[in-house]
Amino acid sequence: EATAVQGLIAQGDFDEARERLKQAIESWGADDGLNQVGRDLEKAVARRRQEQERAQGLMHEARTHVEAGELQVAIKKLRDAQELDPTAQGLEQALASAEASLSARMEAERRRREVTKTAAAIAGHIAADEPDEAANALFLARNLYGNEPEFANLDQAIVRLRERLRREEAERLRGEARTAMEAQDFAAAIPILERSHGLEQTAETHD
């Protein structure tokens, strides 16, 4: 019977162990073996109580860390508490909530990195005088991420780039036209001037 009680103690079933020990003493009287089992039971109960108290302390510490936004620290403490007292009231829910919050934060941070990276790539197209590539990339980025703040100034930057490129092209065409006129090639100069004038008018319309 002492062995059976020891098995219950090892399983953590202290109430059943205490009942079986009581029945054994009532049936056969207390002997050295049963007395030792009784001492082992009380030690195990005291140890369990200490573990439960420690688990409660860790849960309290975890709540403080959650409130401070220190989710990884909080999760570590909650898992430590779970090892000490898996059945602690509210522990499972607290751990699940902290893990969900951490997962959501990590996803938000990943998304923010992607948005920043995408905005930088679009700015790179603008710096490289590639307005069409920039506009297409911005269109796709907004479809994927929505109207993020990082995208707010890119529309105007693309518009300004297009205007600058139109003016530069108009100036280049005027130079070609002057060269043609100096060569007395008026038939070539006139359409070039018309193209230049058209670009300048488009630029003025966007001003």
Side-chain angles (χ1 to χ4, degrees), residues 18-35:
R18 186 175 282 108
E19 183 61 28
R20 292 282 292 274
L21 179 61
K22 178 181 177 183
Q23 291 174 1
I25 292 173
E26 289 175 350
S27 298
W28 299 298
D31 57 22
D32 290 344
L34 291 177
N35 286 336

Side-chain angles (χ1 to χ4, degrees), residues 75-192:
I75 289 170
K76 174 64 167 60
K77 288 186 178 293
L78 288 170
R79 287 175 179 165
D80 289 345
Q82 193 173 47
E83 290 184 5
L84 291 170
D85 185 10
T87 62
Q89 185 176 4
L91 174 56
E92 185 176 345
Q93 297 91 329
L95 181 57
S97 176
E99 289 176 335
S101 296
L102 179 61
S103 177
R105 174 189 291 179
M106 292 176 67
E107 174 58 22
E109 290 173 351
R110 183 201 64 77
R111 188 176 189 277
R112 181 57 52 204
R113 287 193 298 271
E114 288 296 321
V115 168
T116 301
K117 180 180 177 181
T118 301
I122 296 170
H125 285 303
I126 295 171
D129 291 347
E130 298 170 345
D132 292 340
E133 290 83 348
N136 289 336
L138 182 57
F139 175 78
L140 293 174
R142 283 208 170 103
N143 281 341
L144 183 60
Y145 300 113
N147 288 317
E148 292 289 338
E150 288 86 346
F151 303 149
N153 298 321
L154 294 174
D155 291 294
Q156 285 303 311
I158 293 171
V159 169
R160 289 192 296 270
L161 173 59
R162 291 190 191 279
E163 291 172 354
R164 178 174 65 78
L165 294 176
R166 277 193 292 267
R167 290 192 172 95
E168 289 176 355
E169 178 63 9
E171 181 61 30
R172 188 188 67 79
L173 290 172
R174 282 197 299 272
E176 284 187 13
R178 282 194 295 271
T179 300
M181 291 175 68
E182 290 169 357
Q184 303 297 307
D185 189 355
F186 298 110
I190 290 173
I192 294 173

